[in-house]
Amino acid sequence: MARAVLPLTVLALCIVAFGLSSTANAAIGRKMVGVYELNKGDFSIRVTNWGATLMSVVLPDSKGNLADVVLGYDTVAEYVNGTAYFGGLIGRVANRIANARFTLDGKTYRLFRNDGNNSLHGGHRGFSKVIWTVKEHIGGGASPCITLYYHSFDGEQGFPGDLDVYVTYELSSPYVLAVRMNATARGKATPVNLAHHAYWNLGGHGSGSVLAETVQLFASRYTPVDAALVPTGRLAPVAGTPYDFRAPATVGARVGVPGGVSAGYDTNYAVDGVGVGGEGQRRLRPVAAVRDGATGRAMELWADQPGVQFYTSNGLGGVRGKGGKVYDRYGALCLETQGFPDAVNHPSFPSQIVRPGKVYEHNMVLKFSSF
Ligand SMILES: *[C@@H]1O[C@H](CO)[C@@H](O)[C@H](O)[C@H]1NC(C)=O
Ligand SMILES: *[C@@H]1O[C@H](CO)[C@@H](O)[C@H](O)[C@H]1NC(C)=O
Ligand SMILES: *[C@@H]1O[C@H](CO)[C@@H](O)[C@H](O)[C@H]1NC(C)=O
């Protein structure tokens, strides 16, 4: 297979230029940041090795009109600045860790508090805010793909042990995007919970709210949270609650109405058929299906993780994105497949601990179509 096709845009961004930690300078100061395209007919994506970020996903609607269905920015510099995690690869541990601390094998580790008292999405500078190495890029042909690699060092953002992390994006026909992640622990046991943080709007990024899009979630239970948005440890049935998306429902049907949710969804669901306790996690399961009636675009998500965080961009407001479009609350939805939030502090949740030499794997398949 061909290797290292030249990036479309080599931005020659040096990490020093962004005033980041001097400890990392020696190792990554010479790394180049670029934007890489994968094209398969009228289906294409762009990826940057800044945060292994998915910058765009362009595909046709039922009439053949092309649109980019993920929120984001035109330039990598704006991703460096951004705070919404648009399209980013989240790690070492996605979602919240209560009180930014955990105990593993008798040792207590303290993390950065970047969400009240909690650690969120890997800390101040998680995997979505570092430069990854492009290992392979095949821009066209039958299976365009890009593989990115990141070495996370022992103690980075407070986490124990070196970790070798890979993510591959691959296009296949018809309109299938696969995201494959793995991470190998070196030397010490560590929690690992990677998540992909694309903000989907099947009507096209910047086309307005997703409240009218239809969502189905293949999940009968969810993990209720406390006031700090950390799971209580309970698994509750969705039946009879506004969290029930077992039958397709519009995103907005139960938002801001009596008996509904007040300000959108930011909720982890337990995906049906993925065994608690680590069994069955290798098998792809249907996680979610999304349909946009206005354009006839549809998306199916399959994955092999215990959970999926359903987030309806409740915190977005006035963000200037691609093409000058402004993104507001409910301007997109995220379906972040992952382990359960704060699993490291809940022995009853499926374990996210990776022992030295062991491999964490996470596979997602996104199937697009029109109706
Ligand atoms: C980064 O953020 C600052 C403060 O919000 C803003 O003034 C600046 O224009 C931003 N830079 C980029 C490249 O977006
Ligand atoms: C953080 O924890 C302290 C001590 O328990 C508590 O007083 C404070 O309210 C917490 N802050 C937030 C934002 O939850
Ligand atoms: C992780 O993924 C990379 C890229 O696909 C692959 O080369 C490597 O063999 C994988 N590692 C393991 C331990 O599976």
Side-chain angles (χ1 to χ4, degrees), residues 253-343:
R254 290 157 295 175
V255 172
V257 299
V261 297
S262 58
Y265 296 89
D266 192 1
T267 307
N268 173 64
Y269 288 78
V271 177
D272 287 340
V274 179
V276 172
E279 294 193 19
Q281 288 180 29
R282 292 288 166 79
R283 221 159 109 202
L284 285 173
R285 303 272 179 179
V287 175
V290 185
R291 288 162 80 88
D292 178 54
T295 58
R297 284 198 192 87
M299 176 177 90
E300 249 177 59
L301 167 62
W302 293 62
D304 56 4
Q305 297 296 295
V308 60
Q309 185 86 10
F310 179 45
Y311 174 59
T312 49
S313 312
N314 316 332
L316 272 189
V319 176
R320 186 166 289 275
K322 288 181 270 196
K325 293 276 174 64
V326 175
Y327 306 142
D328 285 312
R329 174 178 264 196
Y330 309 141
L333 56 89
C334 302
L335 292 161
E336 306 155 56
T337 54
Q338 57 186 268
F340 291 176
D342 200 29

Side-chain angles (χ1 to χ4, degrees), residues 173-232:
S173 9
Y175 303 108
V176 175
L177 166 61
V179 185
R180 294 192 293 269
M181 300 160 240
N182 71 44
T184 307
R186 308 281 183 205
K188 288 182 190 168
T190 178
V192 177
N193 186 18
L194 306 181
H196 195 271
H197 210 309
Y199 281 70
W200 302 101
N201 183 325
L202 296 183
H205 80 98
S207 66
S209 126
V210 295
L211 292 178
E213 291 189 5
T214 300
V215 166
Q216 183 173 18
L217 297 175
F218 298 90
S220 311
R221 295 173 302 167
Y222 72 111
T223 52
V225 292
D226 63 19
L229 296 177
V230 173
T232 59

Side-chain angles (χ1 to χ4, degrees), residues 227-246:
L229 296 177
V230 173
T232 59
R234 219 159 55 85
L235 268 172
V238 295
T241 76
Y243 299 100
D244 190 352
F245 281 93
R246 288 173 301 169

Side-chain angles (χ1 to χ4, degrees), residues 88-139:
L89 200 286
I90 311 297
R92 183 178 301 201
V93 175
N95 219 305
R96 293 174 177 84
I97 293 180
N99 296 310
R101 59 183 286 169
F102 64 92
T103 301
L104 178 58
D105 296 340
K107 190 171 180 329
T108 296
Y109 295 91
R110 285 166 211 288
L111 310 169
F112 284 105
R113 299 181 169 205
N114 60 337
D115 176 67
N117 287 333
N118 306 322
S119 166
L120 176 66
H121 286 345
H124 280 306
R125 199 185 324 133
F127 294 175
S128 60
K129 293 284 186 188
V130 297
I131 300 179
W132 293 59
T133 302
V134 178
K135 286 288 190 185
E136 182 169 57
H137 173 226
I138 301 169

Side-chain angles (χ1 to χ4, degrees), residues 1-10 34-39 45-49 133-141 143-148 167-171:
M1 294 215 272
R3 275 193 173 257
V5 175
L6 274 183
L8 282 185
T9 324
V10 177
V35 177
Y36 298 80
E37 242 184 58
L38 308 186
N39 286 290
I45 68 169
R46 284 186 310 145
V47 171
T48 171
N49 57 321
T133 302
V134 178
K135 286 288 190 185
E136 182 169 57
H137 173 226
I138 301 169
S143 307
C145 66
I146 183 168
T147 295
L148 304 120
V167 56
T168 298
Y169 294 94
E170 184 177 52
L171 304 187

